[in-house]
Amino acid sequence: EVQLVQSGAEVKKPGESLKISCKGSGYRFTNFWIVWVRQMPGKGLECMGIIHPDDSDTRYTPPFEGQVRISADTSINTAYLHLNNLKASDTATYFCARALDSSGYHLPNWGQGTPVTVFS
Amino acid sequence: QSALTQPASVSGSPGQSITFSCSGTRSDVGIYNLVSWYQQHPGRAPKLIIYEVNKRPSGISDRFSGSKSGNTASLTISGLQTDDEADYYCASYAGSHAIGVFGGGTRLIVL
């Protein structure tokens, strides 16, 4: 069974940094892209970027280019979303998902989500 | 890459059929038969319910069906149930340089 398990909820202060993890199992981790999706409170899904763990080919959507960093460690089948200099507007739930290609439109498996709260 | 357009909410009664629309352009929905639909219950992760316009993943009820006409994709739920109350998002392939083109989502209210 394909599973993506994300790290737990986080509460951070403005200016702090955060790394969210997404561990894949039940499939060959290096064969599929991983997408990161943001969902702000009461809002829709926003694709942040995508990574192919095998060669770390990473692409970002325009709103998130230069704002976040995505990485992967194939030795532990885990992808990461790095958020720096956190602001209150980074308060959201972040999801990872397995993508069948680099377009990120077809996402058959999702992590459970990591809620992030940023407040002083 | 532009987002796809979905109505903010639709409502229906148990047993009815209801259809959601997802409007794109000739650069995404109109040119590719690569549209997905996701269901998201409050506090839960999205779940893929339709891919490639009209295909259902294993385990998804045949009450869910998808179609496309021109630049607009549609999701139909027949025999509406209270558990269908959720948010529904469409997504489309939009070319090799576009990533994750989603609609804004439609909230389904089952009266």
Side-chain angles (χ1 to χ4, degrees):
Chain A
E1 179 194 6
V2 173
Q3 281 195 312
L4 295 172
V5 178
Q6 298 182 225
S7 46
E10 300 271 6
V11 178
K12 292 290 188 180
K13 289 182 166 40
E16 291 185 333
S17 298
L18 173 63
K19 183 170 76 173
I20 301 171
S21 66
C22 169
K23 184 174 176 62
S25 63
Y27 72 100
R28 188 168 293 233
F29 185 73
T30 51
N31 280 10
F32 295 91
W33 297 78
I34 292 284
V35 167
W36 285 97
V37 175
R38 183 177 77 175
Q39 187 169 40
M40 299 176 74
K43 300 299 184 183
L45 305 174
E46 302 173 273
C47 181
M48 305 172 76
I50 192 166
I51 186 167
H52 197 288
D54 189 43
D55 59 5
S56 291
D57 181 1
T58 308
R59 308 170 190 184
Y60 300 93
T61 60
F64 297 96
E65 180 82 56
Q67 306 303 309
V68 302
R69 185 168 67 89
I70 294 170
S71 66
D73 184 342
T74 56
S75 68
I76 54 172
N77 290 353
T78 300
Y80 299 97
L81 175 67
H82 305 259
L83 304 172
N84 296 321
N85 190 24
L86 288 165
K87 308 174 188 58
S89 56
D90 292 315
T91 294
T93 297
Y94 296 86
F95 294 98
C96 64
R98 184 175 72 113
L100 297 195
D101 59 40
S102 63
S103 71
Y105 90 97
H106 186 171
L107 307 173
N109 309 99
W110 291 69
Q112 80 276 22
T114 297
V116 174
T117 303
V118 182
F119 76 106
S120 54
Chain B
Q1 52 190 68
S2 301
L4 308 173
T5 301
Q6 298 183 251
S9 66
V10 297
S11 60
S13 301
Q16 278 187 330
S17 289
I18 200 151
T19 298
F20 304 80
S21 64
C22 170
S23 297
T25 69
R26 289 164 53 188
S27 299
D28 40 60
V29 175
I31 196 171
Y32 303 107
N33 288 326
L34 299 173
V35 176
S36 295
W37 289 89
Y38 300 86
Q39 176 193 61
Q40 186 182 32
H41 286 107
R44 303 295 297 274
K47 180 169 76 171
L48 179 69
I49 56 174
I50 294 287
Y51 66 99
E52 291 179 11
V53 174
N54 56 15
K55 297 179 181 177
R56 285 185 304 276
S58 174
I60 300 301
S61 169
D62 60 4
R63 296 188 301 107
F64 295 91
S65 62
S67 62
K68 191 188 86 165
S69 177
N71 296 339
T72 300
S74 299
L75 170 71
T76 298
I77 308 176
S78 60
L80 210 55
Q81 299 177 358
T82 53
D83 187 53
D84 296 332
E85 188 163 283
D87 294 325
Y88 291 83
Y89 295 90
C90 61
S92 175
Y93 183 80
S96 59
H97 297 292
I99 308 167
V101 178
F102 281 91
T106 298
R107 174 150 297 175
L108 170 63
I109 301 165
V110 180
L111 302 168

